[in-house]
């Protein structure tokens, strides 16, 4: 019997030179290292960078993901490593799928996470289909997350480096998408290891700083972007105590988020107050003591389930969940209401849970991500 062809590093039973991989290149060090590493290993690499917004407009900012300088940097890496590189104009797709929802969510009193929608609706949807059109065997990205093969197929796992793990932003990756995706950096012990690889490959982006804010939001000023996208949206109203007292006035609900304490504009009070609710219909910002921020019940919808058994096959799932990207997973019970909706009960109450944020599910005592959904109602 002929010997079976061993799998290459991307999981295909053929030589790297016969394996085409599209690399989503943002121009940063992470995706550049992925492209350079695969090119050095002999893969048929095609680099693709997305132009997501008008780089001459006020929304763009220097150093943002997919800004003009980043497209230039991605092109340089491709030239230096000797593989083709394409820039695709996704401005209209990005505006319709990400930016408009971002603005409308803020206007409805939610706190959106546009990076998740970008992965879900742009990078892992339209770009992934483009990769297939290019006859690629797979698409690789610079995300810090791991794809592992389990007994029932591809599984999504947290990155080895918990400080770089991006599972919160990738929970909506579907099983079908996961079959086609590869994440070569997920096993690395630290970001320093990535930069060392960049230096090894002689990449000019080796010391390039990481982007910090949402790519289309200059200096983290969400309100200014929303006012530009939705002129006249910042309507003034009252700041109310949870007991009904009028404490002051505000210049628009979009300037506030659940859990905010500083910059409320209501000095001279004896107790520290926090934003506990945004009443868009009444144009009111509701504030109160910290204990009003605590909750154990989290309604979740648009659930993407990555478990082996059907989501509704159990009355309850004992898991851990993240309700904010900066917080560690906490023990919880998920009670399915349908295939895509559930009530999540936290074992220990969390503070500042906001509609528009994600609730991501993790298998207990494991690095596996079981999916997640969107928090959709205020408290």
């Amino acid at each position: 019997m002929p010997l079976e062809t061993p799998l290459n590093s991307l999981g295909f039973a053929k030589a790297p030179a016969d394996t085409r991989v599209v690399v989503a290149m943002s121009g940063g060090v992470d995706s550049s290292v992925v492209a350079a590493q695969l090119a050095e290993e002999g893969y048929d690499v095609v680099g693709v960078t997305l132009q997501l917004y008008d780089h001459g407009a006020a929304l763009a900012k220097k150093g943002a993901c997919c800004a003009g300088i980043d497209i230039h940097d991605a092109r340089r890496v491709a030239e230096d490593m000797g593989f083709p590189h394409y820039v695709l104009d996704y401005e209209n797709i990005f505006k319709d799928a990400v930016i408009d929802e971002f603005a409308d969510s803020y206007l409805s009193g939610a706190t959106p996470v546009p990076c998740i929608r970008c992965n879900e609706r742009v990078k892992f949807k339209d770009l992934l289909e483009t990769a297939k059109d290019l006859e690629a065997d797979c698409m690789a990205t610079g995300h810090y997350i791991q794809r592992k093969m389990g007994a029932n197929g591809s599984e999504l796992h947290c990155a080895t480096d918990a400080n770089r793990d991006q599972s919160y932003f990738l929970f909506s990756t579907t099983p079908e998408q996961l079959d086609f995706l590869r994440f070569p950096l997920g096993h690395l012990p630290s970001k320093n290891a990535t930069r060392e690889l960049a230096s090894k490959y002689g990449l000019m982006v080796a010391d390039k700083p990481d982007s910090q804010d949402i790519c289309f939001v200059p200096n983290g000023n969400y309100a200014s972007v929303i006012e530009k996208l939705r002129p006249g949206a910042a309507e003034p109203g009252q700041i109310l105590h949870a007991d009904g007292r009028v404490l002051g006035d505000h210049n628009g609900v979009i300037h506030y988020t659940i859990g905010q304490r500083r910059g409320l504009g209501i000095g001279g009070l004896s107790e520290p107050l926090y934003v506990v609710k945004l009443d868009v219909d009444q144009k009111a910002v509701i504030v109160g003591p910290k204990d009003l921020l605590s909750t154990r019940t989290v309604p979740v919808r648009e659930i993407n389930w990555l478990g082996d058994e059907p989501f509704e096959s159990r009355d309850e799932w004992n898991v851990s969940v993240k309700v904010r990207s900066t917080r560690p997973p906490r023990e919880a019970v998920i009670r399915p209401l349908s295939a895509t909706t559930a009530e999540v009960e936290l074992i220990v109450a969390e503070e500042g849970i906001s509609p528009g944020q994600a609730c991501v599910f993790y298998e207990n005592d494991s690095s596996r991500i079981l999916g997640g959904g969107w928090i959709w109602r205020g408290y």
Side-chain angles (χ1 to χ4, degrees):
M1 292 179 62
L3 294 175
E4 291 186 8
T5 304
L7 299 180
N8 61 34
S9 65
L10 293 178
F12 298 99
K14 53 185 175 179
D18 298 323
T19 306
R20 175 168 292 177
V21 51
V22 164
V23 179
M25 300 181 68
S26 68
V29 63
D30 299 324
S31 57
S32 295
V33 164
V34 168
Q37 178 175 293
L38 295 175
E40 188 181 71
E41 291 177 13
Y43 286 97
D44 178 10
V45 173
V46 178
V48 174
T49 301
L50 304 181
Q51 179 172 310
L52 297 180
Y53 46 84
D54 182 356
H55 305 127
L59 292 183
K61 69 188 182 93
K62 184 178 179 181
C65 167
C66 306
I69 186 65
D70 295 310
I71 292 174
H72 170 76
D73 289 345
R75 183 179 290 119
R76 277 285 308 277
V77 169
E79 289 175 354
D80 292 345
M81 297 302 298
F83 59 82
H85 174 259
Y86 302 96
V87 178
L88 304 182
D89 183 354
Y90 272 42
E91 284 187 29
N92 290 336
I93 293 172
F94 187 67
K95 183 178 184 300
D96 293 343
V98 180
I99 294 180
D100 283 344
E101 183 185 89
F102 171 83
D104 293 338
S105 294
Y106 256 102
L107 292 178
S108 69
T111 307
V113 191
C115 297
I116 298 176
R117 289 303 197 193
C118 182
N119 290 323
E120 172 189 320
R121 297 175 175 178
V122 180
K123 294 176 182 175
F124 290 177
K125 183 172 180 259
D126 292 280
L127 178 56
L128 191 144
E129 290 305 315
T130 297
K132 291 180 178 179
D133 290 341
L134 292 170
E135 300 182 343
D137 294 285
C138 63
M139 186 173 87
T141 78
H143 289 105
Y144 287 87
I145 198 163
Q146 298 187 80
R147 172 189 178 274
K148 298 183 179 182
M149 293 305 297
N152 295 288
S154 305
E155 298 177 354
L156 199 61
H157 286 255
C158 295
T160 297
D161 181 4
N163 293 322
R164 303 297 301 181
D165 176 62
Q166 292 176 288
S167 58
Y168 185 85
F169 301 98
L170 296 168
F171 79 85
S172 60
T173 306
T174 66
E176 295 75 22
Q177 291 168 343
L178 193 55
D179 285 340
F180 194 72
L181 289 164
R182 300 294 187 273
F183 309 106
L185 303 184
H187 70 286
L188 295 181
S190 69
K191 181 61 177 268
N192 286 338
T194 305
R195 294 196 182 278
E196 288 172 4
L197 285 172
S199 297
K200 170 189 170 184
Y201 298 129
L203 302 183
M204 33 78 78
V205 295
D207 297 319
K208 186 174 181 177
D210 293 337
S211 56
Q212 299 295 324
D213 299 316
I214 295 170
C215 67
F216 58 90
V217 180
N219 305 315
N221 190 341
Y222 305 125
S224 67
V225 172
I226 296 163
E227 289 172 331
K228 181 178 178 65
L229 293 167
R230 302 288 187 271
E235 297 184 70
Q238 292 181 321
I239 299 174
L240 305 176
H241 193 284
D243 63 15
R245 286 179 287 154
V246 177
L247 301 180
D249 299 309
H250 65 77
N251 294 320
V253 171
I254 62 173
H255 294 280
Y256 299 84
T257 57
I258 301 296
Q260 179 179 337
R261 178 185 175 186
R262 300 183 185 281
L264 300 182
I266 48 171
L269 298 171
S270 58
E271 61 173 338
L273 296 177
Y274 300 78
V275 176
V276 299
K277 184 178 180 181
L278 299 173
D279 189 331
V280 176
D281 293 334
Q282 301 299 320
K283 303 182 183 63
V285 174
I286 315 298
V287 299
K290 190 175 184 179
D291 63 327
L292 292 183
L293 288 171
S294 295
T295 185
R296 289 182 56 197
T297 304
V298 185
V300 181
R301 63 183 178 184
E302 293 183 60
I303 289 172
N304 177 57
W305 179 247
L306 296 173
D308 295 331
E309 302 172 45
F311 184 55
E312 294 178 277
S313 65
R314 299 188 193 179
D315 293 331
E316 293 185 350
W317 293 89
N318 293 297
V319 298
S320 296
V321 303
K322 267 191 183 186
V323 292
R324 190 170 292 177
S325 64
T326 54
R327 295 181 181 175
R330 303 287 174 83
E331 284 189 72
V333 176
I334 306 173
R335 297 187 177 91
L337 301 176
S338 72
T340 58
T341 60
E343 181 180 270
V344 175
E345 181 183 347
L346 305 172
I347 304 305
V348 177
E350 289 265 7
E351 296 174 348
I353 295 174
S354 174
Q357 296 282 296
C359 180
V360 182
F361 313 149
Y362 299 84
E363 190 172 64
N364 287 328
D365 303 317
S366 165
S367 63
R368 187 176 180 185
I369 299 125
L370 296 174
W374 295 93
I375 303 167
W376 68 276
R377 194 168 59 220
Y379 301 92

